[in-house]
Amino acid sequence: RYTRAVGRKIVLSEWLRPSTLRSLTSNSQEDYFLRLNVPRSFDIQPDDLKSSYRQLMAKLHPDRHTLKPTKEQDEVGQKAAKVTHAYQVLRQPHQRAMHLLELINSPLEEEDSGGLVGFDFLEEVMELREEICNAEENEDEVQLKEISKSNQACVDILYAELATAFKTENTKTALKLTAKLQYRNRINETIRDIL
């Protein structure tokens, strides 16, 4: 179980080591976990993430840097923007999974997601979308809420399965589950837009 990283092979478990982190982030996408000083994990605790974000933003608040030269103020502003962006990505489980996959050089490509999830899952999604359209046409808010509740239960299961896939370094499964989560999130977004 190997993956390519910065012109050399690394064992997937090695990607958590600080030395690997430095080499990966120097030539690839920035590591948002490192930026926020939180463990690189799918099942990170939301309170820990929020606490780290708040601590960093307190240090980077513009009022703390008003007496510094403009250049330093601009640099602090850029750092604050990067911290905020990292937080926005990591606080959303789907985006967090996508980021973890990118960090191990196995990004989920939009054109690959349909092939990863399989025909049966795509058929299930199409049926759900048809149910949503019917409920919308009939102005059946109760039905839309039931579909949303059922879909969210599936999302919650995907979260648990993704946490296991990342812990066990099963990249293939993590890719498939992340693709499924992407479809499930779109269903939730569609229902929210209607309601």
Side-chain angles (χ1 to χ4, degrees):
R1 295 170 35 180
Y2 291 89
T3 187
R4 300 280 310 156
V6 195
R8 66 181 180 89
K9 289 186 177 184
I10 61 169
V11 178
L12 285 178
S13 61
E14 184 181 330
W15 66 275
L16 291 172
R17 294 187 187 142
S19 59
T20 305
L21 276 174
R22 283 189 292 279
S23 68
L24 283 173
T25 57
S26 64
N27 291 324
S28 62
Q29 177 159 346
E30 179 181 5
D31 185 336
Y32 298 145
F33 296 93
L34 191 60
R35 164 98 31 216
L36 292 174
N37 299 320
V38 294
R40 190 190 273 191
S41 170
F42 177 77
D43 58 352
I44 189 167
Q45 295 300 312
D47 290 341
D48 294 343
L49 184 62
K50 192 176 206 176
S51 174
S52 182
Y53 169 71
R54 287 183 172 173
Q55 288 174 2
L56 287 167
M57 291 307 288
K59 293 176 186 175
L60 297 171
H61 195 279
D63 290 347
R64 298 185 81 158
H65 304 279
T66 57
L67 300 177
K68 293 185 178 178
T70 305
K71 183 179 179 182
E72 285 184 46
Q73 289 180 27
D74 290 345
E75 288 172 0
V76 169
Q78 289 173 359
K79 285 180 184 178
K82 287 180 180 181
V83 166
T84 298
H85 178 72
Y87 177 67
Q88 294 300 323
V89 169
L90 296 183
R91 67 189 279 252
Q92 300 172 27
H94 176 252
Q95 294 299 318
R96 186 181 325 127
M98 297 280 286
H99 184 61
L100 281 166
L101 290 169
E102 289 168 356
L103 290 174
I104 59 172
N105 292 328
S106 295
L108 176 63
E109 303 295 338
E110 182 74 29
E111 62 272 6
D112 296 338
S113 63
L116 286 169
V117 299
F119 179 76
D120 290 340
F121 181 79
L122 291 175
E123 189 172 46
E124 180 183 338
V125 169
M126 287 174 39
E127 288 171 7
L128 274 172
R129 292 212 170 270
E130 190 173 319
E131 286 180 42
I132 292 167
C133 285
N134 290 338
E136 181 181 23
E137 286 175 8
N138 297 327
E139 298 179 6
D140 190 346
E141 191 173 316
V142 172
Q143 177 67 17
L144 286 169
K145 287 181 179 178
E146 286 175 15
I147 296 169
S148 178
K149 183 177 178 182
S150 173
N151 190 62
Q152 188 58 49
C154 293
V155 167
D156 292 341
I157 291 168
L158 287 171
Y159 290 166
E161 291 175 346
L162 267 167
T164 301
F166 281 114
K167 280 181 187 173
T168 60
E169 302 172 4
N170 190 334
T171 305
K172 185 177 179 180
T173 299
L175 277 163
K176 181 179 180 177
L177 294 170
T178 302
K180 285 184 173 185
L181 183 57
Q182 185 169 306
Y183 282 96
R184 292 285 181 184
N185 281 345
R186 287 181 184 155
I187 290 169
N188 280 342
E189 289 169 12
T190 300
I191 294 171
R192 271 193 304 270
D193 290 345
I194 294 169
L195 295 175

